[in-house]
Amino acid sequence: MIEREIIHTTTASKRLFDVLQDVLQFLLLFLRIFLEMFIMLIQKVLPKRLKDISGEVVLITGTGHGIGRELALHYASLGSTVICVDINEKNNLQTVQKAKRLNLGNVHSFICDVSKRAEVMALADRVKAEVGPISVLVNNVGIMPTHPILQQSAEEIQRVFDVNVFSQFWTIQAFLSHMEEKNRGHIIALSSIAGVVGLSNLVPYCATKFAVRGLMEALHEELREGPYRNMIKTTTIFPYMTNTGLCKHPKVKFPSILGLLDPKEVAMRIVEAHRSDALEATIPSCLLHINNWTRLLPDHCGLMLKDYIDSGVESDLI
């Protein structure tokens, strides 16, 4: 009987000790988080420290026009070797010619339908043989049908997922081994502000951009918990509507504050996010904070704010 009481007391004491140990660890973690937040606030006031990317080999999808073309020009201007990938050979060669006139980084053109896995895998082999392993992947390519869900055909919905989502899976699977070979790398994915908040006439598009956000968050965790922790980084970009031709009928209530963005400015912000190792960034930067704050409000309050801003796209079938 006495032995049982001793065993029971010992067990209870051990449980209490384990609980106190867990509480102490949580408090120390909370203190560390608080200190990290304080350091980040100070860093936001100070000028950003941007890493040198002049020696990087950067592969960009969708370089035939818009943000992709501006990204190619910006990376080339910083001395990176740029690999331009697009399905449109004529437009892609125009981008390459513009980039080569800068006389800074080497620029290469490859034609590929990145929505097709076999083509992407073949592309990875060609790039490695002709240029060498890449160190930076920028998944930029995207399409945006803009009309109500019941007017979206099955082919349209399949295509927008093939281009906007599955292409990113295929490029990551094809080129991640290049980065592992180098023991360093960076994967940058373009989601959208439509991957942060749902919008009318963009149901399939929003679904693809939310999918990209989930893909990148899970990929970051997989890399963080694996052998390439801190070696291969990820950045997810959420741009507001940009003047690339995809937004055929933009709806903007406050054009002086939330007008269509210039592709050149968006490209600069993307490269800046890359060079500062940002995990995610909205363009403009305030939009992510506004969204996070709004999500804390009751649903109807968030919708009231959304209705007041009244920004989005009209149907392209009108």
Side-chain angles (χ1 to χ4, degrees), residues 3-240:
E3 288 180 358
R4 286 181 183 176
E5 288 182 2
I6 292 172
I7 292 171
H8 177 74
T9 302
T10 302
T11 303
S13 298
K14 187 178 184 305
R15 287 176 180 171
L16 178 60
F17 176 78
D18 290 342
V19 169
L20 291 173
Q21 189 177 40
D22 290 340
V23 170
L24 179 60
Q25 287 178 346
F26 175 78
L27 291 173
L28 289 173
L29 176 62
F30 185 81
L31 177 61
R32 182 181 174 185
I33 291 171
F34 180 80
L35 290 173
E36 290 283 349
M37 288 173 61
F38 181 71
I39 292 169
M40 285 182 64
L41 287 172
I42 293 175
Q43 288 176 339
K44 284 186 178 293
V45 178
L46 300 173
K48 289 184 179 179
R49 297 178 60 183
L50 303 178
K51 63 185 180 183
D52 178 27
I53 57 171
S54 59
E56 302 293 355
V57 180
V58 184
L59 185 144
I60 310 166
T61 64
T63 47
H65 73 289
I67 296 172
R69 172 171 287 178
E70 296 299 335
L71 280 168
L73 296 174
H74 199 60
Y75 275 110
S77 72
L78 294 170
S80 300
T81 295
V82 179
I83 299 167
C84 298
V85 177
D86 202 279
I87 196 171
N88 188 311
E89 184 173 12
K90 180 182 176 181
N91 289 353
N92 206 42
L93 286 173
Q94 288 175 355
T95 300
V96 170
Q97 288 167 2
K98 287 186 175 185
K100 283 184 175 180
R101 290 193 199 110
L102 299 172
N103 292 320
L104 293 168
N106 294 321
V107 189
H108 306 267
S109 173
F110 288 87
I111 307 307
C112 179
D113 181 352
V114 291
S115 70
K116 296 179 179 177
R117 190 176 189 276
E119 287 195 29
V120 175
M121 295 302 167
L123 172 69
D125 291 337
R126 286 179 55 208
V127 167
K128 192 170 184 179
E130 297 177 26
V131 183
I134 73 165
S135 55
V136 179
L137 170 64
V138 185
N139 276 322
N140 161 74
V141 69
I143 58 174
M144 189 173 74
T146 55
H147 33 273
I149 182 65
L150 292 181
Q151 293 175 302
Q152 302 257 359
S153 68
E155 292 76 19
E156 278 182 312
I157 294 171
Q158 183 67 57
R159 182 62 178 163
V160 76
F161 272 86
D162 285 342
V163 174
N164 293 7
V165 182
F166 291 119
S167 69
Q168 300 211 22
F169 278 96
W170 311 150
T171 55
I172 290 168
Q173 286 189 329
F175 291 101
L176 184 57
S177 61
H178 289 213
M179 301 178 193
E180 292 175 345
E181 184 179 320
K182 286 175 170 277
N183 283 321
R184 64 184 179 86
H186 206 128
I187 299 170
I188 299 144
L190 265 72
S191 178
S192 166
I193 201 64
V196 175
V197 59
L199 296 167
S200 298
N201 297 314
L202 290 175
V203 174
Y205 180 78
C206 286
T208 65
K209 293 305 182 178
F210 270 88
V212 170
R213 186 179 189 180
L215 160 64
M216 291 301 288
E217 188 168 318
L219 177 64
H220 173 261
E221 284 304 293
E222 191 166 298
L223 292 170
R224 189 177 69 89
E225 295 172 3
Y228 295 95
R229 177 189 180 98
N230 297 327
M231 296 180 189
I232 301 175
K233 302 180 184 298
T234 66
T235 297
T236 310
I237 305 292
F238 305 93
Y240 179 70

